[in-house]
Structures are given as structure tokens and as C-alpha cells.
Amino acid sequence: MIQPQSIDSIPEETVRVARAAFPKGNLYMTMRDEIGTLYNDQDFEDLFPTLGQPAFSPWRLALVCVMQYIEDMTDRQAFQLQFAVELIGSMHFLSYLTDSGFDFSVLCEFKVRLISGSAEQK
């Protein structure tokens, strides 16, 4: 079950820490700053049942899939990147430095939904 979440502005603490770590920015920071948000939860509503446990925010999972493609990472590596200090800029891309994250298996489930729903081109 999807409970759409709004995409808020990036918290000041996240911006401050990301800018301190990457004074010149990085690819993910530039993408977020120049393009803005790429997805929203409503883009993926048709891929989720109306009943059941709440789903992790699809717009964030979609961005992690973009990052995985760019960095050529496995699901487990993508899970681990959430906690890597050298990739704080990626948290800027995902909006929250203090996000508690998700289990790497959630990415696999999200990708199955994309393929099953013929939404892999999103």
C-alpha cells in the first residue's frame, strides 16, 4: 500500500553538511539543484496494492535506482551507500541526511513492481 509522501525542500542541516563535504558539489547535488525532483510517489501509485503494509517512498527508491545505474552498484551496495560519509551528496539528492534508510531487499521488490507494471522506463 502506498501512502504518498510530499517531497519537501532539503533540510538546512543536510544542505550545510553536503556543502561542507563537497564545496564544489557533486553529480547528485547538481542534479537535485538544477533539475529538482525527478519523481513523486504518485508516479508509481498504479504499481502498489491498495491494501497491505505501507511501502517505502517510491520516489526515493527510484532515485536510488538511478544512482545504482550511474555507479554500477548492487542493491546491497546501494543500501550501504546510505551510510557512507564520502557520499553525503547522494543524501542531498535523496533529500534527507538523517533518513533512517531501508533494507536492501526493498530495492529488489521495487524493481519487480517496475517491471511487472511495465514502468521500467520511468
Side-chain angles (χ1 to χ4, degrees):
M1 170 177 74
I2 188 171
Q3 296 175 338
Q5 296 178 9
S6 63
I7 303 171
D8 299 324
S9 60
I10 301 167
E12 287 301 317
E13 177 187 16
T14 302
V15 172
R16 183 181 54 76
V17 172
R19 295 280 176 230
F22 297 95
K24 295 181 182 181
N26 69 17
L27 174 64
Y28 304 113
M29 293 167 70
T30 301
M31 287 173 67
R32 177 63 188 257
D33 292 344
E34 299 293 322
I35 300 171
T37 57
L38 300 177
Y39 305 105
N40 63 58
D41 285 346
Q42 290 78 9
D43 293 333
F44 304 97
E45 275 187 307
D46 58 329
L47 303 177
F48 290 83
T50 56
L51 300 173
Q53 69 181 26
F56 193 83
S57 184
W59 74 265
R60 285 197 179 140
L61 293 173
L63 289 180
V64 170
C65 290
V66 169
M67 291 169 58
Q68 277 187 277
Y69 176 79
I70 291 170
E71 302 292 336
D72 192 28
M73 293 185 290
T74 65
D75 289 351
R76 190 175 297 267
Q77 288 170 320
F79 167 75
Q80 291 169 341
L81 86 78
Q82 298 173 85
F83 305 105
V85 174
E86 69 271 15
L87 292 177
I88 290 172
S90 66
M91 297 313 290
H92 178 91
F93 184 53
L94 297 171
S95 291
Y96 293 99
L97 181 65
T98 57
D99 191 318
S100 60
F102 54 87
D103 186 79
F104 72 92
S105 64
V106 173
L107 277 177
C108 182
E109 294 169 10
F110 179 69
K111 290 174 185 175
V112 168
R113 289 179 192 280
L114 287 174
I115 293 168
S116 298
S118 299
E120 58 271 11
Q121 293 304 311
K122 286 187 180 185

